[in-house]
Amino acid sequence: MADDSKYFSNGALGAIGSYAAVGDSFTEGVGDPGPDGAYIGWADRLAVLLSDQQAEGDFRYANLAVRGRLLDQIVEEQVPRAKALAPALVTFCAGGNDILRPGSDPDAVAERYEAAVADLREEVGVVLLCTGFDTRGIPVLKHLRGKIATYTAHVRAIADRHDCPVLDLWSLKSVQDRRAWSDDRLHLSADGHTRVALRAAQVLGLRVPADPDQPWPPEAERSAADARRDNIHWAREHLVPWIGRRLRGESSGDHVEPKRPDLLPL
């Protein structure tokens, strides 16, 4: 993992009293439902870890992310709001939905992404960027691994040019286990979101209660018949509806509003 301590030298970490999360379903927390049915996710979990560094009531958090949002929608809807809130920290994870679209160009997406990063950096002290996941073992997404790797390389270069810390999800080996992913195989599970939150906290210089890359416990071997049943169930319940939305030009985020649009105490 890269050493990002330069972003928090001279006590800067203690100054992070506010945080706004910008992005799509990954940052909204899809796949990690809470007891009330609302999604939690890695950003909410990171906010808790950050709030523990402050006196009670001194930390404020907003989550502007909405599932299904493309990069241009995030730039139009969320980036101005994040700038207006003027938090000490913004996490900016965007472009993944664009890369999944047939015919998309990761180079072109990265150009628009960099313009948004530059815009945020004018108003926000720390902007943490997220790379893509290594999708080698993920059904459907494994066929897009080359495009995702290209986009990830761009994100790291953009981070270097704009002096941003990086949440490197490609190098987080623990999320390549199927238990890190929810039943839809497109979004992280609660355990997957937890591991990402721990890694993000490490990047921000926090001591964390567990290693995000610690090995998973041994798992009973599944039979070929069980695997086939799981694949059939997944295709029927998740893949077919996902393809249908794409063909109809619909988004899972249609009519969805940000779950936490204001900087509020945790």
Side-chain angles (χ1 to χ4, degrees):
M1 184 179 63
D3 179 10
D4 291 297
S5 58
K6 64 180 180 178
Y7 301 103
F8 306 100
S9 59
N10 302 320
L13 177 58
I16 296 184
S18 55
Y19 162 37
V22 171
D24 51 30
S25 60
F26 168 60
T27 300
E28 184 186 350
V30 174
D32 183 10
D36 60 354
Y39 292 117
I40 303 173
W42 71 271
D44 287 16
R45 295 177 185 277
L46 172 61
V48 171
L49 293 170
L50 287 168
S51 71
D52 287 344
Q53 310 300 310
Q54 302 287 336
E56 186 174 356
D58 284 353
F59 181 81
R60 296 173 300 137
Y61 168 57
N63 191 317
L64 309 177
V66 176
R67 70 200 76 164
R69 289 297 192 262
L70 298 169
L71 174 61
D72 290 346
Q73 293 173 311
I74 292 170
V75 170
E76 179 182 353
E77 300 168 4
Q78 298 176 34
V79 168
R81 178 59 178 164
K83 291 172 61 181
L85 292 172
L89 168 69
V90 165
T91 55
F92 183 57
C93 305
N97 288 323
D98 299 73
I99 300 301
L100 294 181
R101 294 206 157 191
S104 61
D105 179 356
D107 299 333
V109 176
E111 286 184 9
R112 304 198 306 275
Y113 179 92
E114 181 164 14
V117 171
D119 191 24
L120 279 167
R121 285 289 283 125
E122 290 181 357
E123 302 290 339
V124 180
V126 178
V127 180
L128 184 146
L129 308 184
C130 307
T131 74
F133 293 96
D134 185 348
T135 58
R136 73 177 77 183
I138 303 174
V140 180
L141 299 186
K142 65 182 179 182
H143 303 294
L144 300 173
R145 188 174 182 236
K147 288 174 65 175
I148 295 169
T150 299
Y151 190 61
T152 287
H154 277 301
V155 170
R156 293 204 64 89
I158 291 165
D160 286 345
R161 288 194 289 270
H162 295 275
D163 201 27
C164 298
V166 179
L167 173 54
D168 189 350
L169 301 172
W170 189 278
S171 70
L172 187 59
K173 300 299 184 184
S174 62
V175 296
Q176 293 172 16
D177 189 286
R178 70 182 188 89
R179 287 169 286 183
W181 296 84
S182 65
D183 289 344
D184 69 7
R185 305 184 186 180
L186 294 170
H187 299 97
L188 293 175
S189 65
D191 286 339
H193 277 286
T194 297
R195 287 174 182 259
V196 169
L198 291 169
R199 174 52 59 86
Q202 286 181 330
V203 171
L204 296 174
L206 277 67
R207 292 188 177 90
V208 296
D211 178 4
D213 239 346
Q214 66 183 336
W216 292 81
E219 185 180 28
E221 188 172 344
R222 293 189 305 157
S223 69
D226 287 340
R228 282 195 299 272
R229 270 195 301 272
D230 286 349
N231 288 337
I232 291 169
H233 173 78
W234 167 73
R236 181 184 301 118
E237 297 297 322
H238 301 289
L239 180 60
V240 171
W242 182 73
I243 292 173
R245 288 196 300 272
R246 291 295 184 275
L247 293 175
R248 294 190 298 271
E250 297 174 356
S251 168
S252 59
D254 289 346
H255 314 299
V256 175
E257 297 294 326
K259 63 181 180 181
R260 195 178 176 95
D262 296 302
L263 285 174
L264 299 173
L266 284 181

